Amino acid sequence: MGAVIMHSVASVDGYIADEKGDVGPLHEWYFSGDVPIVVGSDEQYDHSGTGSGIKVSAASADYVRTMWESIGTIVMGRNLFDLVNGWEGKPPAGDHVVVVSHRPKPEGWHPEASYHFVDGVAAAIDKARELAGERVVAVNAGEVGAQILAAGLVDEVAMDVVPVVFGSGRRYFGGINGQHLLEDPHVVIQGDRVLHLRFKVRR
C-alpha cells in the first residue's frame, strides 16, 4: 500500500487559513512561477477556479509534479468540502476523494465523481487506502488531519511553508493534544516564496 501523507500549505506560524477558511497569500506561489504543472502529457492542473492553471518556480516544479502524480486518494474534512464545494467533483490531484463526515453526500451532487463520505477517521483511511492501491493517500491538514495523525495512521507529514505570519486562524495540526515525534526532514527544497518539507512520523 502507498504511504499516508498529511499535507498542506502553511504559514511560518503553522496556520493553513484564517478563521473563515481564507488562505490569503498562502497559495500565491502556485501561480507565480514559469513552469506549468501538467497531468500526463498535456492536461494542466487547475484548482484555482480561474482557468489559469498551476505555474510554479523551476525550483518547486519537480517536487510538486512528483508529489501530485503519486496521489491516488485525497482525504478531507466536511468543512473543507463545503468551503470549496468539493472542487466541483474534480480534485486537484488523484482519482478519488474520501470526506470524513457524519452527513452524507449532498443529494444530486456530481454523481459521476468518485467521492465517498465516511463517518470516522479510521474507516476513512481504510477506504482511502482501498481506493488508492499502491498510490499515496494525501490527508489534508487541519482538524481531520490532526485526528488521523493522533490515531497513528499518518506515515509522513509534508508542509509547504510560506513566509507569512497569520497570527491566528486554522492550524495545520488542528487542536491536536500531546507530543508526536517526527524524524529529521528527508525532503528540504527551497522554492520561490515557499519551503517544501517532508518528515516521516517516528514509530
Side-chain angles (χ1 to χ4, degrees), residues 116-156:
H116 308 263
F117 287 63
V118 178
D119 187 359
V121 296
I125 293 298
D126 285 345
K127 183 64 176 179
R129 282 176 163 154
E130 173 192 329
L131 293 166
E134 297 300 316
R135 300 174 75 190
V136 163
V137 172
V139 175
N140 280 107
E143 291 298 336
V144 166
Q147 292 173 33
I148 294 169
L149 176 64
L153 300 173
V154 172
D155 299 310
E156 293 186 34

PDB file of all heavy atoms in Angstrom, residues 116-156:
ATOM      1  N   HIS A 116     -16.449   9.741  -1.612  1.00  0.00           N
ATOM      2  CA  HIS A 116     -17.018   8.786  -0.663  1.00  0.00           C
ATOM      3  C   HIS A 116     -17.087   9.446   0.708  1.00  0.00           C
ATOM      4  O   HIS A 116     -16.074   9.940   1.216  1.00  0.00           O
ATOM      5  CB  HIS A 116     -16.169   7.519  -0.618  1.00  0.00           C
ATOM      6  CG  HIS A 116     -15.928   6.930  -1.976  1.00  0.00           C
ATOM      7  ND1 HIS A 116     -16.692   5.905  -2.489  1.00  0.00           N
ATOM      8  CD2 HIS A 116     -15.015   7.260  -2.939  1.00  0.00           C
ATOM      9  CE1 HIS A 116     -16.263   5.620  -3.719  1.00  0.00           C
ATOM     10  NE2 HIS A 116     -15.260   6.428  -4.007  1.00  0.00           N
ATOM     11  N   PHE A 117     -18.260   9.467   1.321  1.00  0.00           N
ATOM     12  CA  PHE A 117     -18.469  10.113   2.606  1.00  0.00           C
ATOM     13  C   PHE A 117     -18.473   9.043   3.693  1.00  0.00           C
ATOM     14  O   PHE A 117     -19.285   8.116   3.661  1.00  0.00           O
ATOM     15  CB  PHE A 117     -19.774  10.906   2.596  1.00  0.00           C
ATOM     16  CG  PHE A 117     -19.671  12.166   1.776  1.00  0.00           C
ATOM     17  CD1 PHE A 117     -19.422  12.119   0.401  1.00  0.00           C
ATOM     18  CD2 PHE A 117     -19.808  13.406   2.374  1.00  0.00           C
ATOM     19  CE1 PHE A 117     -19.312  13.279  -0.344  1.00  0.00           C
ATOM     20  CE2 PHE A 117     -19.706  14.584   1.630  1.00  0.00           C
ATOM     21  CZ  PHE A 117     -19.445  14.511   0.268  1.00  0.00           C
ATOM     22  N   VAL A 118     -17.523   9.171   4.634  1.00  0.00           N
ATOM     23  CA  VAL A 118     -17.280   8.126   5.621  1.00  0.00           C
ATOM     24  C   VAL A 118     -17.288   8.742   7.011  1.00  0.00           C
ATOM     25  O   VAL A 118     -16.692   9.805   7.238  1.00  0.00           O
ATOM     26  CB  VAL A 118     -15.924   7.432   5.353  1.00  0.00           C
ATOM     27  CG1 VAL A 118     -15.643   6.369   6.399  1.00  0.00           C
ATOM     28  CG2 VAL A 118     -15.914   6.815   3.954  1.00  0.00           C
ATOM     29  N   ASP A 119     -17.947   8.084   7.947  1.00  0.00           N
ATOM     30  CA  ASP A 119     -18.047   8.560   9.330  1.00  0.00           C
ATOM     31  C   ASP A 119     -16.912   7.955  10.151  1.00  0.00           C
ATOM     32  O   ASP A 119     -16.920   6.759  10.428  1.00  0.00           O
ATOM     33  CB  ASP A 119     -19.407   8.165   9.900  1.00  0.00           C
ATOM     34  CG  ASP A 119     -19.659   8.759  11.271  1.00  0.00           C
ATOM     35  OD1 ASP A 119     -18.769   9.458  11.790  1.00  0.00           O
ATOM     36  OD2 ASP A 119     -20.744   8.516  11.832  1.00  0.00           O
ATOM     37  N   GLY A 120     -15.915   8.779  10.507  1.00  0.00           N
ATOM     38  CA  GLY A 120     -14.817   8.301  11.338  1.00  0.00           C
ATOM     39  C   GLY A 120     -13.505   8.242  10.580  1.00  0.00           C
ATOM     40  O   GLY A 120     -13.461   7.848   9.410  1.00  0.00           O
ATOM     41  N   VAL A 121     -12.411   8.624  11.270  1.00  0.00           N
ATOM     42  CA  VAL A 121     -11.129   8.731  10.574  1.00  0.00           C
ATOM     43  C   VAL A 121     -10.520   7.384  10.229  1.00  0.00           C
ATOM     44  O   VAL A 121      -9.899   7.221   9.175  1.00  0.00           O
ATOM     45  CB  VAL A 121     -10.124   9.593  11.370  1.00  0.00           C
ATOM     46  CG1 VAL A 121     -10.621  11.034  11.481  1.00  0.00           C
ATOM     47  CG2 VAL A 121      -9.847   9.027  12.746  1.00  0.00           C
ATOM     48  N   ALA A 122     -10.659   6.389  11.102  1.00  0.00           N
ATOM     49  CA  ALA A 122     -10.083   5.071  10.812  1.00  0.00           C
ATOM     50  C   ALA A 122     -10.752   4.456   9.585  1.00  0.00           C
ATOM     51  O   ALA A 122     -10.077   3.930   8.687  1.00  0.00           O
ATOM     52  CB  ALA A 122     -10.214   4.150  12.023  1.00  0.00           C
ATOM     53  N   ALA A 123     -12.077   4.533   9.533  1.00  0.00           N
ATOM     54  CA  ALA A 123     -12.806   3.999   8.378  1.00  0.00           C
ATOM     55  C   ALA A 123     -12.462   4.787   7.116  1.00  0.00           C
ATOM     56  O   ALA A 123     -12.385   4.210   6.020  1.00  0.00           O
ATOM     57  CB  ALA A 123     -14.309   4.047   8.643  1.00  0.00           C
ATOM     58  N   ALA A 124     -12.245   6.093   7.270  1.00  0.00           N
ATOM     59  CA  ALA A 124     -11.894   6.925   6.112  1.00  0.00           C
ATOM     60  C   ALA A 124     -10.543   6.515   5.536  1.00  0.00           C
ATOM     61  O   ALA A 124     -10.382   6.414   4.306  1.00  0.00           O
ATOM     62  CB  ALA A 124     -11.867   8.393   6.506  1.00  0.00           C
ATOM     63  N   ILE A 125      -9.559   6.261   6.397  1.00  0.00           N
ATOM     64  CA  ILE A 125      -8.244   5.845   5.908  1.00  0.00           C
ATOM     65  C   ILE A 125      -8.318   4.455   5.286  1.00  0.00           C
ATOM     66  O   ILE A 125      -7.688   4.193   4.243  1.00  0.00           O
ATOM     67  CB  ILE A 125      -7.203   5.898   7.038  1.00  0.00           C
ATOM     68  CG1 ILE A 125      -6.960   7.349   7.452  1.00  0.00           C
ATOM     69  CG2 ILE A 125      -5.897   5.236   6.608  1.00  0.00           C
ATOM     70  CD1 ILE A 125      -6.406   8.243   6.355  1.00  0.00           C
ATOM     71  N   ASP A 126      -9.091   3.548   5.869  1.00  0.00           N
ATOM     72  CA  ASP A 126      -9.264   2.220   5.266  1.00  0.00           C
ATOM     73  C   ASP A 126      -9.831   2.342   3.855  1.00  0.00           C
ATOM     74  O   ASP A 126      -9.350   1.690   2.915  1.00  0.00           O
ATOM     75  CB  ASP A 126     -10.208   1.365   6.125  1.00  0.00           C
ATOM     76  CG  ASP A 126      -9.543   0.847   7.392  1.00  0.00           C
ATOM     77  OD1 ASP A 126      -8.296   0.897   7.479  1.00  0.00           O
ATOM     78  OD2 ASP A 126     -10.278   0.397   8.301  1.00  0.00           O
ATOM     79  N   LYS A 127     -10.857   3.171   3.686  1.00  0.00           N
ATOM     80  CA  LYS A 127     -11.474   3.347   2.373  1.00  0.00           C
ATOM     81  C   LYS A 127     -10.509   4.018   1.409  1.00  0.00           C
ATOM     82  O   LYS A 127     -10.399   3.621   0.230  1.00  0.00           O
ATOM     83  CB  LYS A 127     -12.747   4.195   2.510  1.00  0.00           C
ATOM     84  CG  LYS A 127     -13.516   4.392   1.205  1.00  0.00           C
ATOM     85  CD  LYS A 127     -14.033   3.049   0.675  1.00  0.00           C
ATOM     86  CE  LYS A 127     -14.887   3.230  -0.568  1.00  0.00           C
ATOM     87  NZ  LYS A 127     -15.376   1.933  -1.091  1.00  0.00           N
ATOM     88  N   ALA A 128      -9.786   5.028   1.897  1.00  0.00           N
ATOM     89  CA  ALA A 128      -8.837   5.742   1.039  1.00  0.00           C
ATOM     90  C   ALA A 128      -7.728   4.811   0.554  1.00  0.00           C
ATOM     91  O   ALA A 128      -7.325   4.871  -0.608  1.00  0.00           O
ATOM     92  CB  ALA A 128      -8.250   6.920   1.800  1.00  0.00           C
ATOM     93  N   ARG A 129      -7.215   3.960   1.432  1.00  0.00           N
ATOM     94  CA  ARG A 129      -6.170   3.014   1.042  1.00  0.00           C
ATOM     95  C   ARG A 129      -6.697   2.009   0.014  1.00  0.00           C
ATOM     96  O   ARG A 129      -6.007   1.664  -0.940  1.00  0.00           O
ATOM     97  CB  ARG A 129      -5.645   2.276   2.274  1.00  0.00           C
ATOM     98  CG  ARG A 129      -4.677   3.094   3.118  1.00  0.00           C
ATOM     99  CD  ARG A 129      -4.275   2.351   4.364  1.00  0.00           C
ATOM    100  NE  ARG A 129      -3.086   2.925   4.976  1.00  0.00           N
ATOM    101  CZ  ARG A 129      -2.787   2.824   6.256  1.00  0.00           C
ATOM    102  NH1 ARG A 129      -3.613   2.183   7.083  1.00  0.00           N
ATOM    103  NH2 ARG A 129      -1.686   3.358   6.721  1.00  0.00           N
ATOM    104  N   GLU A 130      -7.913   1.563   0.223  1.00  0.00           N
ATOM    105  CA  GLU A 130      -8.530   0.630  -0.728  1.00  0.00           C
ATOM    106  C   GLU A 130      -8.618   1.265  -2.116  1.00  0.00           C
ATOM    107  O   GLU A 130      -8.287   0.631  -3.130  1.00  0.00           O
ATOM    108  CB  GLU A 130      -9.923   0.248  -0.226  1.00  0.00           C
ATOM    109  CG  GLU A 130     -10.744  -0.589  -1.199  1.00  0.00           C
ATOM    110  CD  GLU A 130     -12.200  -0.677  -0.784  1.00  0.00           C
ATOM    111  OE1 GLU A 130     -12.491  -0.648   0.432  1.00  0.00           O
ATOM    112  OE2 GLU A 130     -13.062  -0.749  -1.685  1.00  0.00           O
ATOM    113  N   LEU A 131      -9.036   2.515  -2.178  1.00  0.00           N
ATOM    114  CA  LEU A 131      -9.179   3.211  -3.453  1.00  0.00           C
ATOM    115  C   LEU A 131      -7.831   3.551  -4.085  1.00  0.00           C
ATOM    116  O   LEU A 131      -7.678   3.514  -5.300  1.00  0.00           O
ATOM    117  CB  LEU A 131      -9.990   4.494  -3.251  1.00  0.00           C
ATOM    118  CG  LEU A 131     -11.458   4.313  -2.866  1.00  0.00           C
ATOM    119  CD1 LEU A 131     -12.044   5.630  -2.368  1.00  0.00           C
ATOM    120  CD2 LEU A 131     -12.269   3.767  -4.041  1.00  0.00           C
ATOM    121  N   ALA A 132      -6.846   3.910  -3.253  1.00  0.00           N
ATOM    122  CA  ALA A 132      -5.546   4.353  -3.764  1.00  0.00           C
ATOM    123  C   ALA A 132      -4.674   3.211  -4.243  1.00  0.00           C
ATOM    124  O   ALA A 132      -3.803   3.404  -5.099  1.00  0.00           O
ATOM    125  CB  ALA A 132      -4.809   5.148  -2.682  1.00  0.00           C
ATOM    126  N   GLY A 133      -4.862   2.016  -3.713  1.00  0.00           N
ATOM    127  CA  GLY A 133      -3.996   0.899  -4.087  1.00  0.00           C
ATOM    128  C   GLY A 133      -2.566   1.166  -3.658  1.00  0.00           C
ATOM    129  O   GLY A 133      -2.283   1.391  -2.482  1.00  0.00           O
ATOM    130  N   GLU A 134      -1.649   1.163  -4.631  1.00  0.00           N
ATOM    131  CA  GLU A 134      -0.234   1.399  -4.337  1.00  0.00           C
ATOM    132  C   GLU A 134       0.115   2.887  -4.309  1.00  0.00           C
ATOM    133  O   GLU A 134       1.257   3.252  -4.028  1.00  0.00           O
ATOM    134  CB  GLU A 134       0.643   0.688  -5.378  1.00  0.00           C
ATOM    135  CG  GLU A 134       0.500  -0.817  -5.390  1.00  0.00           C
ATOM    136  CD  GLU A 134       0.880  -1.450  -4.057  1.00  0.00           C
ATOM    137  OE1 GLU A 134       1.918  -1.047  -3.490  1.00  0.00           O
ATOM    138  OE2 GLU A 134       0.130  -2.319  -3.579  1.00  0.00           O
ATOM    139  N   ARG A 135      -0.826   3.737  -4.619  1.00  0.00           N
ATOM    140  CA  ARG A 135      -0.554   5.167  -4.664  1.00  0.00           C
ATOM    141  C   ARG A 135      -0.736   5.805  -3.289  1.00  0.00           C
ATOM    142  O   ARG A 135      -1.220   5.178  -2.345  1.00  0.00           O
ATOM    143  CB  ARG A 135      -1.454   5.831  -5.710  1.00  0.00           C
ATOM    144  CG  ARG A 135      -1.226   5.279  -7.109  1.00  0.00           C
ATOM    145  CD  ARG A 135      -2.217   5.842  -8.097  1.00  0.00           C
ATOM    146  NE  ARG A 135      -1.891   7.219  -8.442  1.00  0.00           N
ATOM    147  CZ  ARG A 135      -2.703   8.010  -9.144  1.00  0.00           C
ATOM    148  NH1 ARG A 135      -3.886   7.570  -9.540  1.00  0.00           N
ATOM    149  NH2 ARG A 135      -2.332   9.243  -9.447  1.00  0.00           N
ATOM    150  N   VAL A 136      -0.366   7.054  -3.180  1.00  0.00           N
ATOM    151  CA  VAL A 136      -0.368   7.783  -1.914  1.00  0.00           C
ATOM    152  C   VAL A 136      -1.784   8.191  -1.520  1.00  0.00           C
ATOM    153  O   VAL A 136      -2.603   8.553  -2.374  1.00  0.00           O
ATOM    154  CB  VAL A 136       0.540   9.029  -2.033  1.00  0.00           C
ATOM    155  CG1 VAL A 136       0.273  10.035  -0.917  1.00  0.00           C
ATOM    156  CG2 VAL A 136       2.010   8.618  -2.052  1.00  0.00           C
ATOM    157  N   VAL A 137      -2.050   8.141  -0.209  1.00  0.00           N
ATOM    158  CA  VAL A 137      -3.238   8.759   0.371  1.00  0.00           C
ATOM    159  C   VAL A 137      -2.797  10.103   0.938  1.00  0.00           C
ATOM    160  O   VAL A 137      -1.949  10.163   1.832  1.00  0.00           O
ATOM    161  CB  VAL A 137      -3.851   7.885   1.481  1.00  0.00           C
ATOM    162  CG1 VAL A 137      -4.975   8.647   2.204  1.00  0.00           C
ATOM    163  CG2 VAL A 137      -4.371   6.575   0.906  1.00  0.00           C
ATOM    164  N   ALA A 138      -3.331  11.190   0.400  1.00  0.00           N
ATOM    165  CA  ALA A 138      -2.976  12.542   0.843  1.00  0.00           C
ATOM    166  C   ALA A 138      -4.062  13.053   1.780  1.00  0.00           C
ATOM    167  O   ALA A 138      -5.223  13.184   1.379  1.00  0.00           O
ATOM    168  CB  ALA A 138      -2.816  13.483  -0.343  1.00  0.00           C
ATOM    169  N   VAL A 139      -3.698  13.325   3.026  1.00  0.00           N
ATOM    170  CA  VAL A 139      -4.634  13.797   4.038  1.00  0.00           C
ATOM    171  C   VAL A 139      -4.472  15.305   4.182  1.00  0.00           C
ATOM    172  O   VAL A 139      -3.369  15.793   4.461  1.00  0.00           O
ATOM    173  CB  VAL A 139      -4.353  13.106   5.391  1.00  0.00           C
ATOM    174  CG1 VAL A 139      -5.254  13.684   6.478  1.00  0.00           C
ATOM    175  CG2 VAL A 139      -4.546  11.600   5.269  1.00  0.00           C
ATOM    176  N   ASN A 140      -5.559  16.057   3.991  1.00  0.00           N
ATOM    177  CA  ASN A 140      -5.492  17.495   4.203  1.00  0.00           C
ATOM    178  C   ASN A 140      -5.267  17.780   5.681  1.00  0.00           C
ATOM    179  O   ASN A 140      -5.923  17.195   6.545  1.00  0.00           O
ATOM    180  CB  ASN A 140      -6.774  18.170   3.732  1.00  0.00           C
ATOM    181  CG  ASN A 140      -6.809  18.378   2.239  1.00  0.00           C
ATOM    182  OD1 ASN A 140      -7.522  17.693   1.523  1.00  0.00           O
ATOM    183  ND2 ASN A 140      -6.028  19.318   1.754  1.00  0.00           N
ATOM    184  N   ALA A 141      -4.328  18.689   5.961  1.00  0.00           N
ATOM    185  CA  ALA A 141      -4.069  19.079   7.344  1.00  0.00           C
ATOM    186  C   ALA A 141      -5.268  19.837   7.905  1.00  0.00           C
ATOM    187  O   ALA A 141      -6.187  20.208   7.187  1.00  0.00           O
ATOM    188  CB  ALA A 141      -2.806  19.931   7.411  1.00  0.00           C
ATOM    189  N   GLY A 142      -5.244  20.062   9.216  1.00  0.00           N
ATOM    190  CA  GLY A 142      -6.357  20.701   9.899  1.00  0.00           C
ATOM    191  C   GLY A 142      -6.909  19.754  10.942  1.00  0.00           C
ATOM    192  O   GLY A 142      -6.225  18.832  11.393  1.00  0.00           O
ATOM    193  N   GLU A 143      -8.159  19.954  11.329  1.00  0.00           N
ATOM    194  CA  GLU A 143      -8.735  19.154  12.412  1.00  0.00           C
ATOM    195  C   GLU A 143      -8.796  17.667  12.071  1.00  0.00           C
ATOM    196  O   GLU A 143      -8.423  16.825  12.882  1.00  0.00           O
ATOM    197  CB  GLU A 143     -10.132  19.674  12.774  1.00  0.00           C
ATOM    198  CG  GLU A 143     -10.140  21.046  13.434  1.00  0.00           C
ATOM    199  CD  GLU A 143      -9.399  21.083  14.764  1.00  0.00           C
ATOM    200  OE1 GLU A 143      -9.257  20.034  15.413  1.00  0.00           O
ATOM    201  OE2 GLU A 143      -8.945  22.179  15.138  1.00  0.00           O
ATOM    202  N   VAL A 144      -9.273  17.334  10.874  1.00  0.00           N
ATOM    203  CA  VAL A 144      -9.372  15.920  10.499  1.00  0.00           C
ATOM    204  C   VAL A 144      -7.982  15.308  10.351  1.00  0.00           C
ATOM    205  O   VAL A 144      -7.726  14.199  10.824  1.00  0.00           O
ATOM    206  CB  VAL A 144     -10.200  15.754   9.209  1.00  0.00           C
ATOM    207  CG1 VAL A 144     -10.015  14.355   8.621  1.00  0.00           C
ATOM    208  CG2 VAL A 144     -11.678  15.993   9.500  1.00  0.00           C
ATOM    209  N   GLY A 145      -7.059  16.037   9.717  1.00  0.00           N
ATOM    210  CA  GLY A 145      -5.693  15.538   9.604  1.00  0.00           C
ATOM    211  C   GLY A 145      -5.075  15.287  10.960  1.00  0.00           C
ATOM    212  O   GLY A 145      -4.379  14.280  11.176  1.00  0.00           O
ATOM    213  N   ALA A 146      -5.307  16.190  11.916  1.00  0.00           N
ATOM    214  CA  ALA A 146      -4.776  16.030  13.267  1.00  0.00           C
ATOM    215  C   ALA A 146      -5.350  14.786  13.939  1.00  0.00           C
ATOM    216  O   ALA A 146      -4.629  14.056  14.634  1.00  0.00           O
ATOM    217  CB  ALA A 146      -5.081  17.273  14.101  1.00  0.00           C
ATOM    218  N   GLN A 147      -6.628  14.523  13.734  1.00  0.00           N
ATOM    219  CA  GLN A 147      -7.237  13.320  14.298  1.00  0.00           C
ATOM    220  C   GLN A 147      -6.612  12.059  13.712  1.00  0.00           C
ATOM    221  O   GLN A 147      -6.373  11.072  14.425  1.00  0.00           O
ATOM    222  CB  GLN A 147      -8.740  13.326  14.037  1.00  0.00           C
ATOM    223  CG  GLN A 147      -9.518  14.391  14.790  1.00  0.00           C
ATOM    224  CD  GLN A 147     -10.967  14.456  14.347  1.00  0.00           C
ATOM    225  OE1 GLN A 147     -11.567  13.442  13.983  1.00  0.00           O
ATOM    226  NE2 GLN A 147     -11.536  15.649  14.353  1.00  0.00           N
ATOM    227  N   ILE A 148      -6.320  12.090  12.415  1.00  0.00           N
ATOM    228  CA  ILE A 148      -5.717  10.931  11.757  1.00  0.00           C
ATOM    229  C   ILE A 148      -4.285  10.728  12.246  1.00  0.00           C
ATOM    230  O   ILE A 148      -3.849   9.596  12.497  1.00  0.00           O
ATOM    231  CB  ILE A 148      -5.791  11.092  10.228  1.00  0.00           C
ATOM    232  CG1 ILE A 148      -7.268  11.069   9.784  1.00  0.00           C
ATOM    233  CG2 ILE A 148      -5.008  10.003   9.510  1.00  0.00           C
ATOM    234  CD1 ILE A 148      -7.499  11.479   8.350  1.00  0.00           C
ATOM    235  N   LEU A 149      -3.537  11.834  12.422  1.00  0.00           N
ATOM    236  CA  LEU A 149      -2.187  11.744  12.971  1.00  0.00           C
ATOM    237  C   LEU A 149      -2.219  11.197  14.396  1.00  0.00           C
ATOM    238  O   LEU A 149      -1.439  10.305  14.753  1.00  0.00           O
ATOM    239  CB  LEU A 149      -1.524  13.113  12.939  1.00  0.00           C
ATOM    240  CG  LEU A 149      -0.130  13.211  13.560  1.00  0.00           C
ATOM    241  CD1 LEU A 149       0.869  12.347  12.796  1.00  0.00           C
ATOM    242  CD2 LEU A 149       0.354  14.660  13.598  1.00  0.00           C
ATOM    243  N   ALA A 150      -3.118  11.722  15.229  1.00  0.00           N
ATOM    244  CA  ALA A 150      -3.216  11.278  16.622  1.00  0.00           C
ATOM    245  C   ALA A 150      -3.598   9.806  16.725  1.00  0.00           C
ATOM    246  O   ALA A 150      -3.219   9.127  17.684  1.00  0.00           O
ATOM    247  CB  ALA A 150      -4.231  12.145  17.369  1.00  0.00           C
ATOM    248  N   ALA A 151      -4.316   9.301  15.719  1.00  0.00           N
ATOM    249  CA  ALA A 151      -4.709   7.884  15.708  1.00  0.00           C
ATOM    250  C   ALA A 151      -3.579   6.975  15.223  1.00  0.00           C
ATOM    251  O   ALA A 151      -3.760   5.753  15.163  1.00  0.00           O
ATOM    252  CB  ALA A 151      -5.950   7.702  14.836  1.00  0.00           C
ATOM    253  N   GLY A 152      -2.431   7.564  14.876  1.00  0.00           N
ATOM    254  CA  GLY A 152      -1.292   6.761  14.434  1.00  0.00           C
ATOM    255  C   GLY A 152      -1.404   6.268  13.006  1.00  0.00           C
ATOM    256  O   GLY A 152      -0.749   5.283  12.643  1.00  0.00           O
ATOM    257  N   LEU A 153      -2.208   6.948  12.184  1.00  0.00           N
ATOM    258  CA  LEU A 153      -2.474   6.474  10.827  1.00  0.00           C
ATOM    259  C   LEU A 153      -1.724   7.259   9.754  1.00  0.00           C
ATOM    260  O   LEU A 153      -1.894   6.989   8.568  1.00  0.00           O
ATOM    261  CB  LEU A 153      -3.977   6.542  10.546  1.00  0.00           C
ATOM    262  CG  LEU A 153      -4.849   5.693  11.476  1.00  0.00           C
ATOM    263  CD1 LEU A 153      -6.325   5.970  11.229  1.00  0.00           C
ATOM    264  CD2 LEU A 153      -4.543   4.208  11.285  1.00  0.00           C
ATOM    265  N   VAL A 154      -0.879   8.224  10.152  1.00  0.00           N
ATOM    266  CA  VAL A 154      -0.111   9.035   9.203  1.00  0.00           C
ATOM    267  C   VAL A 154       1.328   8.534   9.156  1.00  0.00           C
ATOM    268  O   VAL A 154       1.955   8.328  10.191  1.00  0.00           O
ATOM    269  CB  VAL A 154      -0.151  10.530   9.597  1.00  0.00           C
ATOM    270  CG1 VAL A 154       0.811  11.352   8.741  1.00  0.00           C
ATOM    271  CG2 VAL A 154      -1.570  11.077   9.458  1.00  0.00           C
ATOM    272  N   ASP A 155       1.854   8.339   7.941  1.00  0.00           N
ATOM    273  CA  ASP A 155       3.239   7.892   7.751  1.00  0.00           C
ATOM    274  C   ASP A 155       4.208   9.058   7.617  1.00  0.00           C
ATOM    275  O   ASP A 155       5.359   8.963   8.040  1.00  0.00           O
ATOM    276  CB  ASP A 155       3.351   7.012   6.496  1.00  0.00           C
ATOM    277  CG  ASP A 155       2.494   5.759   6.588  1.00  0.00           C
ATOM    278  OD1 ASP A 155       2.584   5.059   7.607  1.00  0.00           O
ATOM    279  OD2 ASP A 155       1.717   5.511   5.644  1.00  0.00           O
ATOM    280  N   GLU A 156       3.753  10.141   6.972  1.00  0.00           N
ATOM    281  CA  GLU A 156       4.625  11.294   6.741  1.00  0.00           C
ATOM    282  C   GLU A 156       3.832  12.582   6.901  1.00  0.00           C
ATOM    283  O   GLU A 156       2.615  12.610   6.670  1.00  0.00           O
ATOM    284  CB  GLU A 156       5.221  11.282   5.328  1.00  0.00           C
ATOM    285  CG  GLU A 156       6.197  10.164   5.051  1.00  0.00           C
ATOM    286  CD  GLU A 156       6.847  10.315   3.689  1.00  0.00           C
ATOM    287  OE1 GLU A 156       7.086  11.467   3.254  1.00  0.00           O
ATOM    288  OE2 GLU A 156       7.087   9.290   3.038  1.00  0.00           O
TER     289      GLU A 156
END
